[in-house]
Amino acid sequence: MLVDYVIESQDPGLVESILMPFDIYNDSAQYALGMLKQRFLYDEIEAEADLCFDQLLYKLNEIIFSYYKSSAASDLLDQSFLASCEDGDKYFVKPIRFNEILKLRRVKLLGRTIDLRSLLTQRLNRLFRVNIDFLFDQFESQSLCAIVELQQLLNILKHTHKLLSQNIELDSFNMMLNEIQENLSLISYSSRLASQVWTEMQNDLFPNFILCNTTQRFIRSIEGAQHAFQRAPVPDMKPYLLCGSQDLNAAYHNLAGMYSDFFGIPHMFAVVQLIGPRSLPWIIRAILDHIAMKMNVIIPKLYGLQEELPKSIGLLPFDAGVSGCLKIIHELLTWAPKSELKSEVLHSLKDVGSALYWMSLLDLVLREMDTVQFMQTAPWLGMVAGRDGQVKEVDDGSSSLVGLFSSAKTAVLSSTCPNPNSFHVMSKQAEAADIIYKKNINSASVLEYALAFTSAALDKHYSRLSANPKTGFIDITTSKDFYRIFSGLQFEYSEETVCGTSKKHGSWGDSVAWAGCTIIYLLGQQLHFELFDFSYQFLNIAEVESAAGAQTLSSDRSKTANYFQGFESLLETMKKARRLNNHVFSMLRARCPLEDKVACAIKQSGAPQHRVTFVNTLSAFDTLPQKDS
């Protein structure tokens, strides 16, 4: 009862005296044996003392952990959040001198000496493992968007471990984290967290989220879950397993709620930092295999759509006008019986586009982290960033790090030193570190590798998706190339979005454009697509007709305003699609340059020679490692 009172009162002056009630048991036991000569009474006192001491350890362990957890959460709480709060004082944790209790190695109880520090250390080590396991269980019961909250809570727990380690010797936090993640083996490149991240990506993020290219975010589709799966139930929660107190739990929950409805760059930083460089290549490999699998699923379905296209598709006539061209396109695209097949192709393209954009976000985050690492290590390596963005060395000699240890080794060897070998080893280690860090500065791009991998996966289907010109010149009537199929899909998609017959944009987003434009670019069909796309031709005809109509009907402003009545929304949707396509193509040209391959495929007569003699691979990736090799 006295211990409970001390714990509930939270009086810092009483906490240091929390062991004093056990002197009552010591006095009672001595009186029972010495004065009353009653062994039975002593046994009763001993049993009650053992029970109370166990309860003391449990409560003391819990209150110490909660206090340091609250202190860590208060230290890491965002300062701008505290500045905007009117009652920010409730997030301040009053100091309590638990360090005096943690120093106790000898506690006298009923004639025995108990090492309280050792017992508390054992229980705190176990509590840290329980807390880490609880955080992973909680993350596994939520979507991938909760990874920012997981990172916050793990940072709090790590800071708690740092504060407690100032007074007691705890197990290494990284060792406990790897132990819970089942990532202790030297040959294990996967982990519990990495497996969960990939499971969420495969079962929830790619099928159920749509991409918004403008905000660089994946948001949940308003159409609902296309692919639902069962998650683990939410585990029971205690306040000290999160942030230590109810107020801090609510504060961090509100902060994490800002990132709970989308997946973007903050989540990607959390993924990279939590998974680490050991398990991240495993996820990259899984995503590449996912892209290859989806490509194998798309190709046979594209053949089915090719069969529905006419043998020849000419340019849209300008004299037909907007309404006439719309009827012509409807006559060319006879995919009504293949609506289910068309929907499957679009969903597969959406998965491929989401995976490629996820890789682009990962590449953006890794490059930013590499830049930070370069800024930290470059002064020691004697390197700076040049005006053209390339890394160059300040001098031609050795780096500052190697020079420092070499001069130290020379100075030591010139004097009488009892053990000069250690300085020689330090010099060699500096040279090895110099080589390792210089190689990491010019690291490769994850996105470029993913594009090269996708290009290699498309090469074996090139003959079916890109027909050879029979005359040696560009064939404007070709209808079997992939760009024709995607052009028709994009036109119908834009028309359905405007007409409101379906809410396809709510289930596809911008991922379809990313996948379609990437495949078109890697097949070398970008120029064909920009010349012969149905939407682009429709926009050109509308622009010409608008200019001609403005001159003809300049006298009647009301007729000029109603000239394109009924087509404004469709034209605006097509313009947005063209802007998105141009953005994707510009990114692909910057990260996956293929212009040299096209330029060298021009004959002296001016006729383009087909790309079949020029392998569609990047110059930086002459040979790609395959899965079975």
Side-chain angles (χ1 to χ4, degrees):
M1 293 172 61
L2 292 174
V3 169
D4 286 338
Y5 173 77
V6 172
I7 293 175
E8 293 174 0
S9 64
Q10 297 289 326
D11 188 348
L14 295 178
V15 171
E16 298 181 12
S17 306
I18 198 171
L19 295 176
M20 289 184 63
F22 285 94
D23 289 338
I24 301 175
Y25 290 101
N26 291 331
D27 295 341
S28 300
Q30 183 179 3
Y31 190 81
L33 288 179
M35 302 297 294
L36 300 179
K37 310 293 184 180
Q38 294 289 334
R39 177 60 184 267
F40 173 77
L41 181 59
Y42 173 81
D43 293 339
E44 292 293 331
I45 295 173
E46 183 182 26
E48 185 176 348
D50 291 341
L51 178 60
C52 291
F53 191 78
D54 289 338
Q55 292 180 354
L56 171 70
L57 286 178
Y58 174 78
K59 293 179 180 294
L60 195 59
N61 179 66
E62 184 175 301
I63 188 178
I64 290 176
F65 188 78
S66 299
Y67 167 74
Y68 281 96
K69 194 74 170 294
S70 301
S71 300
S74 179
D75 293 343
L76 299 180
L77 193 59
D78 187 58
Q79 296 299 321
S80 59
F81 174 79
L82 290 175
S84 60
C85 291
E86 296 180 356
D87 53 350
D89 294 338
K90 65 180 181 180
Y91 302 117
F92 176 73
V93 180
K94 298 180 181 179
I96 303 177
R97 298 180 61 184
F98 282 114
N99 55 336
E100 298 297 330
I101 297 178
L102 296 175
K103 293 178 181 179
L104 296 176
R105 293 186 177 272
R106 294 183 179 182
V107 176
K108 297 291 185 178
L109 182 61
L110 303 183
R112 300 178 180 88
T113 302
I114 301 174
D115 191 347
L116 184 63
R117 179 189 178 93
S118 177
L119 294 176
L120 289 176
T121 302
Q122 294 175 7
R123 290 174 180 254
L124 286 172
N125 279 327
R126 179 180 177 276
L127 191 53
F128 269 103
R129 289 175 169 85
V130 170
N131 202 163
I132 295 174
D133 188 56
F134 166 79
L135 295 180
F136 284 140
D137 288 340
Q138 180 180 251
F139 173 69
E140 291 168 358
S141 63
Q142 301 176 0
S143 67
L144 187 59
C145 302
I147 195 167
V148 174
E149 182 181 12
L150 175 64
Q151 184 190 27
Q152 290 178 350
L153 296 176
L154 284 176
N155 288 339
I156 293 173
L157 189 61
K158 186 176 182 180
H159 191 54
T160 305
H161 182 275
K162 179 181 178 181
L163 295 177
L164 273 170
S165 298
Q166 297 175 0
N167 299 313
I168 57 177
E169 296 179 0
L170 296 171
D171 295 340
S172 171
F173 183 79
N174 291 331
M175 185 193 72
M176 291 189 289
L177 187 62
N178 291 333
E179 179 182 334
I180 301 300
Q181 289 204 82
E182 302 173 0
N183 195 21
L184 293 175
S185 175
L186 295 177
I187 59 174
S188 175
Y189 299 102
S190 175
S191 64
R192 177 180 176 181
L193 182 59
S195 301
Q196 181 63 23
V197 168
W198 170 238
T199 300
E200 286 292 331
M201 290 170 56
Q202 189 177 16
N203 296 329
D204 188 38
L205 182 67
F206 291 160
N208 300 331
F209 282 66
I210 61 174
L211 170 64
C212 181
N213 185 78
T214 304
T215 59
Q216 295 183 321
R217 293 179 176 182
F218 291 93
I219 59 176
R220 191 170 293 277
S221 173
I222 59 177
E223 293 288 316
Q226 300 291 335
H227 181 80
F229 73 105
Q230 190 69 25
R231 290 191 179 94
V234 180
D236 296 333
M237 183 198 67
K238 294 183 179 180
Y240 63 83
L241 292 178
L242 293 179
C243 303
S245 66
Q246 295 291 351
D247 293 333
L248 288 170
N249 288 348
Y252 275 93
H253 180 73
N254 292 333
L255 291 175
M258 299 169 58
Y259 307 94
S260 60
D261 296 331
F262 72 96
F263 183 92
I265 292 181
H267 303 79
M268 191 62 68
F269 272 106
V271 169
V272 173
Q273 292 172 4
L274 290 179
I275 292 179
R278 183 174 180 181
S279 298
L280 191 59
W282 179 84
I283 289 186
I284 295 175
R285 180 73 241 189
I287 295 176
L288 294 178
D289 292 341
H290 179 76
I291 293 175
M293 180 194 69
K294 287 296 180 180
M295 294 300 301
N296 293 331
V297 172
I298 293 175
I299 299 302
K301 298 176 181 178
L302 291 177
Y303 297 159
L305 295 180
Q306 280 180 338
E307 297 174 357
E308 298 298 324
L309 290 175
K311 295 182 179 180
S312 176
I313 299 178
L315 295 174
L316 298 179
F318 277 77
D319 55 356
V322 174
S323 58
C325 291
L326 187 62
K327 294 180 181 179
I328 294 174
I329 296 174
H330 288 165
E331 294 175 357
L332 294 174
L333 301 178
T334 57
W335 286 340
K338 299 282 187 178
S339 59
E340 184 177 352
L341 182 62
K342 183 180 68 173
S343 178
E344 292 176 357
V345 170
L346 288 172
H347 281 291
S348 298
L349 287 175
K350 172 183 173 295
D351 287 350
V352 173
S354 298
L356 289 173
Y357 194 82
W358 198 92
M359 296 291 281
S360 70
L361 289 181
L362 176 62
D363 188 69
L364 181 66
V365 170
L366 290 178
R367 284 182 176 273
E368 182 173 339
M369 298 178 69
D370 289 342
T371 303
V372 174
Q373 184 180 8
F374 168 76
M375 297 300 294
Q376 295 173 346
T377 59
W380 293 98
L381 300 178
M383 307 183 76
V384 295
R387 294 182 179 179
D388 55 352
Q390 301 296 324
V391 178
K392 65 178 182 179
E393 296 188 18
V394 178
D395 50 13
D396 297 332
S398 59
S399 64
S400 303
L401 181 66
V402 176
L404 176 64
F405 282 95
S406 297
S407 60
K409 182 189 70 173
T410 304
V412 168
L413 293 179
S414 61
S415 60
T416 58
C417 180
N419 189 13
N421 293 330
S422 59
F423 291 92
H424 180 73
V425 172
M426 291 171 60
S427 177
K428 293 296 182 182
Q429 290 176 348
E431 295 178 3
D434 178 74
I435 296 174
I436 293 175
Y437 279 103
K438 280 186 178 179
K439 288 184 178 180
N440 289 337
I441 286 178
N442 298 319
S443 57
S445 170
V446 176
L447 179 59
E448 291 179 7
Y449 186 85
L451 293 174
F453 186 90
T454 307
S455 176
L458 285 172
D459 276 342
K460 58 183 178 181
H461 304 289
Y462 179 79
S463 59
R464 292 292 300 271
L465 297 177
S466 187
N468 296 330
K470 298 179 180 179
T471 60
F473 294 89
I474 296 178
D475 189 357
I476 65 175
T477 63
T478 303
S479 64
K480 304 300 182 181
D481 290 353
F482 174 78
Y483 77 90
R484 288 290 193 186
I485 300 175
F486 182 72
S487 176
L489 291 174
Q490 191 176 56
F491 184 88
E492 290 188 347
Y493 159 65
S494 301
E495 194 173 15
E496 290 173 355
T497 303
V498 172
C499 295
T501 56
S502 63
K503 301 294 183 181
K504 294 300 182 183
H505 194 274
S507 59
W508 292 335
D510 298 334
S511 300
V512 176
W514 268 83
C517 293
T518 300
I519 296 175
I520 288 173
Y521 180 80
L522 295 178
L523 291 174
Q525 300 175 2
Q526 179 189 352
L527 297 178
H528 295 73
F529 176 76
E530 293 176 345
L531 288 173
F532 309 130
D533 177 58
F534 295 126
S535 300
Y536 290 8
Q537 294 184 66
F538 193 83
L539 289 173
N540 293 335
I541 293 173
E543 184 178 356
V544 172
E545 189 172 359
S546 176
Q551 295 177 358
T552 305
L553 305 176
S554 59
S555 59
D556 192 344
R557 295 184 178 181
S558 61
K559 292 183 179 180
T560 304
N562 298 329
Y563 197 76
F564 287 110
Q565 186 176 7
F567 296 101
E568 297 89 347
S569 301
L570 179 61
L571 293 174
E572 185 63 28
T573 302
M574 290 180 178
K575 290 178 182 178
K576 291 180 180 179
R578 182 168 62 180
R579 287 195 295 267
L580 177 60
N581 295 340
N582 293 337
H583 169 75
V584 177
F585 283 135
S586 62
M587 185 278 300
L588 293 172
R589 285 194 298 269
R591 308 305 295 273
C592 178
L594 295 176
E595 287 83 351
D596 295 340
K597 304 287 184 180
V598 179
C600 66
I602 302 297
K603 295 180 180 179
Q604 293 182 354
S605 61
Q609 185 177 357
H610 203 264
R611 190 188 54 81
V612 69
T613 56
F614 299 91
V615 182
N616 185 19
T617 56
L618 299 174
S619 58
F621 297 91
D622 295 331
T623 58
L624 289 174
Q626 299 298 323
K627 182 178 180 181
D628 299 331
S629 61

